Amino acid sequence: MKKESTGQIRKKNVALILNAAKTEFVTHGFKGASIKRIAERAGIPRANIHYYFADKTDLYQQLLNEIIVSWNTSFDTLSIDDDPKTILTAYIHEKIMHAKHDPDGSKIFASEVIHGAPILKDYLHTGFKQWLDKKVTVIETWIKRGQIDAIDPHHLLFLIWSSTQHYADFNLQILAGFGKEAMSDDDFDEVIKSLTTIILKGCGLSK
């Protein structure tokens, strides 16, 4: 059996810790979260966590970074040469899949922002703002070319984020509205279909 390299072991342990931390932070919030409980959830000695992360803040910050990267990666390469209908349809689908498969990530990000973004404040005014400005420029070009209606690009993106993440952040409210204990695959397919239709039509695009 091939022995794991140091890099592979590190990657495996970091992923294990971040996964356990996600459960801990979404359950207890940043202030109430405990490194001891994270270690217990991960099934590793507490010292191992401090080997990879300086403290709870460092762990939380890296977890937030992982969440942001997972959300943004597919949209990072957005180009004026992309077809608006194809790109927006794919982006809405992906955002709903994040809400379906990683609702805790969305809840942790939402909680951070709701509490004044103490960890993300600098990023929101720098990296995030720069990333957003580039997407807005692409959408403005689509508008100038007549590819989509003259809407505010910021509000389009805010709408996509809020409507898709709603199914993670406010899942209990949604389940109560549906009278269900959990959403099925068919339910999520219907969410994708409905939101895609509503948003594309709002942009002057047919589904």
Side-chain angles (χ1 to χ4, degrees), residues 5-204:
S5 67
T6 302
Q8 289 174 320
I9 293 172
R10 177 183 179 84
K11 186 176 180 180
K12 182 179 178 180
N13 286 342
V14 167
L16 187 68
I17 293 167
L18 287 173
N19 189 55
K22 185 178 289 183
T23 302
E24 177 69 11
F25 285 125
V26 82
T27 302
H28 298 284
F30 174 74
K31 289 186 177 180
S34 159
I35 290 292
K36 178 177 180 293
R37 283 197 300 267
I38 292 173
E40 291 171 351
R41 291 180 189 278
I44 61 174
R46 179 172 177 168
N48 283 27
I49 293 181
H50 291 294
Y51 178 78
Y52 296 108
F53 302 95
D55 51 28
K56 186 171 75 170
T57 299
D58 181 38
L59 175 52
Y60 179 66
Q61 192 163 20
Q62 290 198 44
L63 176 59
L64 284 169
N65 184 64
E66 288 278 325
I67 293 167
I68 292 167
V69 168
S70 71
W71 284 353
N72 291 352
T73 298
S74 69
F75 217 49
D76 281 341
T77 57
L78 184 68
S79 163
I80 58 173
D81 296 320
D82 288 326
D83 174 61
K85 179 179 176 180
T86 301
I87 288 296
L88 293 175
T89 298
Y91 191 46
I92 293 165
H93 180 277
E94 181 171 337
K95 289 292 291 177
I96 286 295
M97 288 299 97
H98 280 299
K100 177 181 179 181
H101 297 298
D102 185 25
D104 286 352
S106 184
K107 291 174 184 176
I108 290 169
F109 181 87
S111 179
E112 164 70 10
V113 175
I114 288 170
H115 287 89
I119 300 298
L120 288 180
K121 186 170 290 184
D122 287 343
Y123 161 74
L124 290 176
H125 289 284
T126 54
F128 165 75
K129 184 63 169 62
Q130 293 164 10
W131 183 91
L132 178 61
D133 286 347
K134 291 178 181 178
K135 313 311 161 194
V136 167
T137 297
V138 169
I139 297 171
E140 287 176 338
T141 301
W142 290 343
I143 293 170
K144 290 176 183 176
R145 290 176 174 176
Q147 291 175 278
I148 66 173
D149 286 352
I151 57 173
D152 187 305
H154 290 90
H155 295 313
L156 171 59
L157 293 174
F158 295 159
L159 174 62
I160 292 174
W161 299 340
S162 61
S163 61
T164 55
Q165 288 167 223
H166 184 84
Y167 290 88
D169 302 341
F170 295 92
N171 183 253
L172 288 177
Q173 181 188 46
I174 289 168
L175 293 178
F178 281 143
K180 295 184 175 184
E181 293 185 1
M183 288 180 66
S184 66
D185 290 343
D186 287 343
D187 289 329
F188 277 104
D189 287 343
E190 182 56 38
V191 171
I192 293 169
K193 179 182 176 182
S194 295
L195 290 186
T196 302
T197 298
I198 293 167
I199 293 171
L200 289 186
K201 284 192 174 182
C203 294

